[in-house]
Amino acid sequence: MTTDHVEPVGLGGECVREPDPSDSLRTFGAVVQALREHAGLSRAEFAELVRFSKHTVESIELGRRMPDESFVERAEEVLGNTGALRQAAPFLTRGEAGLAAWFRQWARLERVAASLCTYECRLVPGLLQSEGYARAVFEGTVPVAPDDQLESFMERRMERQRMLSERPTTPFSFIVEEHVFRRRFGDAGQMRELFDHVLELSAPRNVTLQVVPVEAGLHACLDGPLQLLETPKGQRLAYSEGQQNGRLISVPKEVSLLQQRYDTLRSQALNARDSRGLLGRLRGEL
């Protein structure tokens, strides 16, 4: 997985503030602070030695700013040339507004995946959501998201969906519980818009949508939502998400087990043609 480019400094040599700090920036900042304190330097003293403002040093230590190359080099010289900061700097990644912190790594893998499989039992998968459905989901979050943040969520959700059309040779598989599509939101018009959107996005040959009918009973994936992907190098990974957390799974034995569960459920769900027929009937019932 490639890292993002280091953002250039602003006027006066100050680093540009990150809109949404990443875990790597917070970790890097904590290391800077630990080395500074071990050297017996206050923030003000350290700031003078590295020729950055005290405010910038504080922001970097708190993971709020991406350090530029000159900061890394000067900090290394001042803090004993341990090499820790130089080695860590290339792996720094920016936070991505509109994505939950625990989902960001998976989202980056998702962009380059050779294949992607998704099972959902809670809500329509993000890659298939209509704009009205996505907005209703975000507006229902607790605590309530401010308007500017909500728009950021919407932009990122719609941007992710473009993968389906921009990568026509990448296989996308979705298995969704029927009750997810029966859950009402908005008025009948918004529900019809959702069904039309899902049917449109799942029409291309590289996209497969299967619905698990309510009469299917208990099945292999009842432990919760699941995503699986294959990287361009052939590595298989999985992702599982719950309340306020998500887990990237890379242990081959665990991933293999989850793949087996997904494949078993695929055989228990309606085939693609019958699934589309079911959605069409649900739309007609509105």
Side-chain angles (χ1 to χ4, degrees):
M1 182 170 51
T2 58
T3 57
D4 292 336
H5 293 295
V6 175
E7 184 166 334
V9 295
L11 296 175
E14 298 296 329
C15 301
V16 180
R17 176 167 182 155
E18 292 298 304
D20 194 9
S22 67
D23 290 341
S24 65
L25 285 179
R26 292 190 181 96
T27 301
F28 181 88
V31 172
V32 172
Q33 181 174 348
L35 290 173
R36 171 180 63 75
E37 292 175 348
H38 182 73
L41 298 170
S42 68
R43 273 191 183 139
E45 292 168 335
F46 178 64
E48 185 175 353
L49 291 172
V50 296
R51 304 195 297 281
F52 280 86
S53 71
K54 178 183 175 183
H55 174 73
T56 297
V57 170
E58 179 182 18
S59 295
I60 291 174
E61 290 186 349
L62 294 177
R64 294 174 180 166
R65 294 177 185 264
M66 173 73 79
D68 75 326
E69 185 177 348
S70 62
F71 177 89
V72 174
E73 289 302 316
R74 294 172 194 170
E76 277 283 10
E77 293 172 4
V78 171
L79 299 175
N81 278 311
T82 64
L85 303 183
R86 287 194 189 96
Q87 291 183 42
F91 299 98
L92 293 176
T93 57
R94 292 190 156 79
E96 299 174 75
L99 291 178
W102 55 86
F103 185 71
R104 290 169 186 158
Q105 186 176 4
W106 183 260
R108 289 192 289 270
L109 290 164
E110 189 180 62
R111 291 178 201 149
V112 297
S115 66
L116 181 67
C117 298
T118 301
Y119 164 66
E120 257 298 352
C121 56
R122 307 166 305 173
L123 72 170
V124 175
L127 292 178
L128 297 178
Q129 292 177 4
S130 65
E131 185 171 343
Y133 186 96
R135 187 172 294 277
V137 170
F138 291 135
E139 287 179 344
T141 59
V142 178
V144 176
D147 289 343
D148 58 341
Q149 192 175 76
L150 188 147
E151 292 308 316
S152 177
F153 292 160
M154 287 296 300
E155 289 173 10
R156 183 52 64 103
R157 177 60 49 83
M158 296 301 111
E159 177 188 338
R160 283 182 62 226
Q161 283 193 7
R162 289 201 288 271
M163 285 195 299
L164 298 180
S165 59
E166 293 175 349
R167 300 169 61 189
T169 60
T170 299
F172 293 93
S173 169
F174 298 92
I175 302 178
V176 186
E177 299 282 355
E178 178 183 344
H179 68 78
V180 167
F181 291 111
R182 288 186 176 275
R183 187 186 299 276
R184 291 295 189 99
F185 85 100
D187 55 27
Q190 290 175 303
M191 287 295 296
R192 282 192 288 268
E193 180 188 9
L194 169 64
F195 286 123
D196 290 341
H197 189 71
V198 172
L199 288 168
E200 178 184 357
L201 291 182
S202 60
R205 289 183 296 127
N206 66 310
V207 181
T208 303
L209 171 64
Q210 293 180 259
V211 176
V212 183
V214 290
E215 61 268 21
L218 303 180
H219 56 72
C221 287
L222 290 177
D223 283 350
L226 170 66
Q227 294 191 62
L228 297 151
L229 65 73
E230 182 179 357
T231 70
K233 294 184 178 180
Q235 182 183 13
R236 293 186 179 275
L237 301 169
Y239 176 77
S240 177
E241 188 172 270
Q243 295 276 350
Q244 292 297 101
N245 68 81
R247 179 184 174 219
L248 176 62
I249 304 166
S250 60
V251 178
K253 186 175 181 179
E254 292 186 47
V255 176
S256 177
L257 172 60
L258 295 174
Q259 185 70 60
Q260 291 175 45
R261 291 180 180 177
Y262 189 88
D263 291 340
T264 300
L265 182 58
R266 181 180 276 166
S267 69
Q268 296 169 320
L270 297 176
N271 62 37
R273 180 178 177 179
D274 291 343
S275 295
R276 292 176 62 80
L278 174 59
L279 293 188
R281 290 194 298 274
L282 292 178
R283 186 190 187 284
E285 293 173 2
L286 295 170

